[in-house]
Amino acid sequence: MSLKTTKNSSPLLGLFLTFCLSIFFVGNIFAQSSIGSCSDFAVGTNASWSYVLTATTIADGEASQGAQTFTMNVTSLPEGGANVRVYKTTQSGNAFFGPAVALTSGENSLTVAAVGFDRAVKFQFSNGEVEFDALSVNGEGSACVAPPADVTSSTTGTCGDFAAGPNATWTSVLTAALAADGESSQAAQSFTINITSLPDGGANYRVVKTVPNGNFNNGPATALTLGENTKTVAAVDFNRTVKFQFSSEDIEFDALSVNGVASDCIDAVVADVPGCMDASACNYNADATVDDGSCLSDDCAGECGGSATLDECGVCGGSGPLEGFDCDGNALCAGEVLELNDTYGDGWNGNIVTINGVDYTITDDPSIDDGYTAAFCVPAADCYVISWTMGSYASETSWSFMGV
């Protein structure tokens, strides 16, 4: 598409419009995403905290002990706003939830201080409609936000807005107005070009315009420089032609406008947006243009990408039936059943019951038991010798054997 001339009400307004358009044209444009569409966020476990951004997990080991930070540049908030809070595990393994913090437009950042033990740290968000154009966790940028567009360049010899010049000295011509344009040709006429490369020996431009009697006036040669170059020809009260002649076809530029109209010679190449493109996945990204293999599914607890599975009794995240029992609670033991309980749920803390030389206790290891209960099948015997080893918090413990 060719550049078109427009009439400005004043020369100053023409300059202002040209200058502003030049700035916006060369600026980088960042793609946006939202919490609900970005695959970095998992679905939360309740409606109050509907999305979760994981910074680290206990499985990360020593790395989880370092400071954990997220930074987000918010461009749009839902009506009523949105909040973020910190979830982390403490040294005892218990969960800690920080206070709700209101998100604001612009940059938001939270840092959880370093500790001396392995832990999980997550940032929970109250609304998936929060939009952002930058997101990082521990300094690593999110793939949900495309990098800025790469602006291509053109030259005075290849851009279709330039016509061939009249001679070898002035090889390229950019037309701002023609006398045939009538009243609009009387307005101030401007061009702005952002030069990225000049040929050896440099290059010049000059103004060529018609005067009231129709004759042409050739202005002096002006050296072009790297960066922004602009020229405005003042308004007049007669119809006239205004052109800008250039001395080389090898002038490279990444922005060009005439009378505030940007050139079509410059294209922005937008980078691919990686993400999950499977609409059935829980982390589907509608903005993704390249499938990066990150698609996830809900686990049995409804957590996107979670690891919870059904145990042999069909319980999500369960540890299966208690030892010596089936899924319905029926005893399978050929001997006698020993049941242990802890009211606080942190294991027996060194308390031990010993029967016929075998020690029984409740651990705080979730891979063994839940910290609250444990059941054991004690081999049948004619006589049972029972002893007790005192640990900490014995008042929290209780046990029964042979129904007693």
Side-chain angles (χ1 to χ4, degrees):
M1 180 182 295
S2 298
L3 292 166
K4 297 180 180 179
T5 58
T6 58
K7 181 177 180 179
N8 297 316
S9 58
S10 74
L12 287 177
L13 179 59
L15 277 172
F16 177 76
L17 289 173
T18 302
F19 178 70
C20 289
L21 282 169
S22 175
I23 290 176
F24 285 119
F25 187 78
V26 300
N28 288 328
I29 300 173
F30 288 81
Q32 292 195 133
S33 188
S34 67
I35 288 177
S37 63
C38 175
S39 60
D40 294 336
F41 294 84
V43 177
T45 56
N46 58 64
S48 297
W49 299 101
S50 51
Y51 288 91
V52 178
L53 181 65
T54 298
T56 191
T57 64
I58 294 175
D60 294 331
E62 186 176 354
S64 72
Q65 301 180 21
Q68 307 295 322
T69 301
F70 96 92
T71 301
M72 172 189 287
N73 194 68
V74 174
T75 57
S76 177
L77 288 166
E79 186 175 353
N83 298 320
V84 59
R85 73 174 182 180
V86 172
Y87 159 86
K88 62 182 180 180
T89 54
T90 61
Q91 190 166 8
S92 66
N94 293 329
F96 171 87
F97 297 94
V101 177
L103 291 167
T104 60
S105 294
E107 185 173 286
N108 297 256
S109 186
L110 279 178
T111 296
V112 180
V115 295
F117 55 89
D118 296 347
R119 46 83 181 269
V121 176
K122 300 180 181 182
F123 301 100
Q124 298 180 328
F125 295 82
S126 65
N127 197 300
E129 296 179 6
V130 177
E131 295 182 359
F132 56 89
D133 62 8
L135 171 67
S136 65
V137 176
N138 296 329
E140 183 175 346
S142 170
C144 293
V145 182
D150 295 325
V151 179
T152 60
S153 62
S154 188
T155 68
T156 49
T158 58
C159 176
D161 296 327
F162 292 85
N167 52 54
T169 302
W170 300 103
T171 59
S172 303
V173 179
L174 185 63
T175 298
L178 297 172
D181 295 333
E183 186 178 355
S184 65
S185 71
Q186 300 179 22
Q189 307 294 323
S190 300
F191 88 91
T192 300
I193 189 170
N194 194 71
I195 294 177
T196 57
S197 177
L198 288 167
D200 291 341
N204 300 317
Y205 79 92
R206 71 175 182 179
V207 174
V208 175
K209 61 183 180 180
T210 54
V211 295
N213 64 8
N215 292 332
F216 276 92
N217 172 271
N218 298 325
T222 301
L224 291 164
T225 60
L226 293 176
E228 185 175 274
N229 297 255
T230 188
K231 176 66 177 178
T232 298
V233 180
V236 295
D237 58 2
F238 57 90
N239 297 343
R240 45 83 180 270
T241 292
V242 177
K243 300 182 180 183
F244 302 102
Q245 295 182 338
F246 295 80
S247 65
S248 174
E249 294 183 337
D250 297 324
I251 302 166
E252 293 185 10
F253 56 91
D254 62 8
L256 172 67
S257 64
V258 173
N259 296 329
V261 179
S263 171
D264 288 339
C265 293
I266 310 297
D267 295 320
V269 181
V270 179
D272 290 329
V273 179
C276 173
M277 299 181 68
D278 182 353
S280 65
C282 60
N283 63 329
Y284 169 65
N285 183 357
D287 298 324
T289 58
V290 176
D291 197 311
D292 62 359
S294 65
C295 293
L296 302 172
S297 57
D298 289 331
D299 65 8
C300 61
E303 181 177 351
C304 185
S307 59
T309 58
L310 296 174
D311 67 7
E312 60 186 283
C313 296
V315 177
C316 181
S319 56
L322 293 174
E323 184 176 349
F325 293 84
D326 63 17
C327 291
D328 296 323
N330 301 311
L332 302 175
C333 180
E336 298 292 342
V337 175
L338 171 66
E339 295 184 6
L340 310 183
N341 298 281
D342 185 272
T343 58
Y344 196 73
D346 61 347
W348 264 20
N349 297 295
N351 294 285
I352 300 171
V353 61
T354 304
I355 302 177
N356 289 349
V358 178
D359 293 337
Y360 301 94
T361 190
I362 301 177
T363 74
D364 60 357
D365 184 345
S367 66
I368 299 176
D369 48 51
D370 63 3
Y372 286 95
T373 62
F376 303 92
C377 182
V378 178
D382 294 331
C383 178
Y384 297 97
V385 178
I386 302 174
S387 63
W388 173 260
T389 301
M390 181 72 74
S392 301
Y393 308 107
S395 62
E396 299 174 1
T397 67
S398 63
W399 56 277
S400 65
F401 181 59
M402 299 179 66
V404 179

